[in-house]
Amino acid sequence: NLAMRKARANFASNFFACAGFSIIDPPGFATVEEGIHAAKEAKAPFTVICSSDEEYAGNAVRIYQALQQESHVIVAGYPRELLDEMTASGLKDFIHVRSNLLESLSRYVGMISG
């Protein structure tokens, strides 16, 4: 879903940029596998999944499982219907309009600064 991907990618970019994080914002991917490959190549400490809630079903957990050893995976949005499935798999980080920006960014900065 191009509109949701762009909206959530823009939100995520602004969310992390205000703390000085360098942002890699690809134009999107034709397949989940392409996105996973690009995330692995980027070797970024964080990977934010940006799409619609409907597309997160099945895909978010798959992305998390593929990247959890290389990057801390975060979901842009708060897909209530999928929370149980996501958290049961270990995917527990979400950024959204109700996130406490200062608290979240302090935690993320702490994760990479030791």
Side-chain angles (χ1 to χ4, degrees):
N1 182 324
L2 182 62
M4 284 303 293
R5 187 200 63 75
K6 284 185 173 186
R8 286 184 167 164
N10 187 48
F11 172 81
S13 292
N14 290 332
F15 189 95
F16 283 96
C18 69
F21 283 93
S22 179
I23 307 300
I24 301 169
D25 186 14
F29 302 99
T31 67
V32 171
E33 290 74 23
E34 285 180 25
I36 290 169
H37 177 74
K40 286 183 177 188
E41 290 287 313
K43 296 181 180 3
F46 303 105
T47 298
V48 183
I49 306 171
C50 301
S51 193
S52 66
D53 289 358
E54 296 79 26
E55 289 174 316
Y56 287 154
N59 290 326
V61 169
R62 192 166 96 195
I63 294 166
Y64 168 73
Q65 290 172 340
L67 297 176
Q68 67 181 333
Q69 299 301 316
E70 289 91 3
S71 185
H72 189 85
V73 180
I74 302 164
V75 173
Y78 196 73
R80 291 184 200 284
E81 308 80 38
L82 303 172
L83 288 179
D84 290 341
E85 173 192 349
M86 289 180 169
T87 57
S89 75
L91 182 54
K92 298 177 181 178
D93 268 291
F94 304 88
I95 58 170
H96 48 88
V97 295
R98 292 195 173 135
S99 294
N100 182 317
L101 182 69
L102 181 58
E103 186 178 288
S104 297
L105 289 174
S106 294
R107 187 167 59 85
Y108 294 134
V109 167
M111 291 170 80
I112 60 170
S113 64

